Every structure is written in structure tokens, then in C-alpha cells.
Amino acid sequence: QKEVEQDPGPLSVPEGAIVSLNCTYSNSAFQYFMWYRQYSRKGPELLMYTYSSGNKEDGRFTAQVDKSSKYISLFIRDSQPSDSATYLCATSQTGANNLFFGTGTRLTVIP
Amino acid sequence: GAVVSQHPSRVICKSGTSVKIECRSLDFQATTMFWYRQFPKQSLMLMATSNEGSKATYEQGVEKDKFLINHASLTLSTLTVTSAHPEDSSFYICSARTGGAVGNEQYFGPGTRLTVT
């Protein structure tokens, strides 16, 4: 079983839609959760990070962690064509070096 | 803040030659840097972890004699692909982590696309 599972998509939505991206993880020791956005042929860009359970909001983006079900989500409100990218979830244990990445979900927002 | 640069962004080399890729943290000191490779439409694969002033730790299956990593300072790490072959063609991305990071967030460089002919 992979440490982190993520639906690769692709996911296409119309402009203005609410997007929900999700990952599940297997290790209950994971405490730290991140979402990265990667445009084609570019390095990943850190979007959000959260510690333990709960929600975190930043503009149109909301990250949500449910440790009881080992489920992490990223919501994008009022999606824009510029949001078209691959979104990677990542997680790790506090203090550990390694990040465990999902495979990434490719999102296309259609104008 | 937390900007990481990589150089070159793209390199084409002949089979059998060596290529050096630089990774720099521009506005912070990176106690730990990471090197990944990424094949098209696939996720990141961690190759090695390097700490300033010590030997890199390589992931299983990564040849340390082929992929030489030097973390010479708190702002610079280099990856040298020695005797490159076409199967080494890939997108190489570095990331850096600050020593004072509360969590484990890593900041990534823009990547280097290596093509070996």
C-alpha cells in the first residue's frame, strides 16, 4: 500500500466552479500536510500547509485534514483558468526529513 | 521569501559526459536539500537528501557513484550526473528546507530538464 493515494484525474471543470481535490494516507503518525501546485515543466510551488487536523484558509484555497479518516482535501473556490495545473498532496511525520507525495491530480479549468 | 533557484534550466549533453546542476536557496539558509527526479506525468521521486557539510543519503536504487551530490554551503547544493546515458534524461528538481521550519515544508526549485543524446 502506498503511503499516500491520490486520484490522478484528469479533472476538468468550468470557470467559477468549486474544485475538490483529495488524498488519503495510511500512516497515522503523519502530522504535517501540504498541497503543492505544479505547472507544466516547472517545479512544485507550496500552496498550503497544515499541522494535524482542521481547516486552513488562504484566499480561494481551503485545506482540510481529517485525521480520523486519514483524509486530506484541498478546495478551490471560484476556479480560474490560471488554476489549471497538477496538484500534489504531501505529508510527513513531524521532524522527519521525507515527504511522501501523492501522484498528483491534473486539473483543467475551462474558460 | 523561500525562493530556490536551479541552474541550468535545461541542458542537452552527449552520452558519456557529465552534467552538473546547481541548486541555491536565495533568501534563506537551507540546512537540508533534496534532489528529486520526475518522469512525464508522474510524481516526484526522491533521489537523495543532503545536509550541509555531510554526505548525502541516497534512496534505495539510486546509484551514489552516478549521481554525485555536494552540499557545500547552507545555500548551495550540486548534483552531478556522471557518465550520463539516455535513460538519465529526466526532469531534476531540488528542494530546500529551512532549519527553523516548524514543519517539514520544502520549497522547490524550478527544475532542470536534462536530455542525453
Side-chain angles (χ1 to χ4, degrees), chain B residues 30-63:
Chain B
T31 55
T32 307
M33 287 184 166
F34 306 84
W35 287 95
Y36 295 82
R37 66 189 295 182
Q38 186 177 36
F39 292 105
K41 299 187 179 182
Q42 294 189 24
S43 191
L44 303 164
M45 185 191 83
L46 179 65
M47 299 175 65
T49 302
S50 75
N51 292 293
E52 185 266 339
S54 61
K55 287 185 178 180
T57 302
Y58 290 81
E59 296 298 302
Q60 191 172 10
V62 178
E63 299 175 60

Side-chain angles (χ1 to χ4, degrees), chain A residues 32 36 38 43 92-93 97 102, chain B residues 38 43 97 103-106 110:
Chain A
Y32 212 66
Y36 287 87
Q38 186 176 23
S92 75
Q93 300 181 43
N97 270 332
Chain B
Q38 186 177 36
S43 191
R97 177 185 162 195
N104 297 333
E105 66 270 28
Q106 296 176 20

Side-chain angles (χ1 to χ4, degrees), chain B residues 69-88:
Chain B
I69 292 171
N70 186 344
H71 194 156
S73 74
L74 286 172
T75 59
L76 174 63
S77 176
T78 59
L79 168 68
T80 301
V81 184
T82 63
S83 186
H85 289 96
E87 57 266 30
D88 298 324

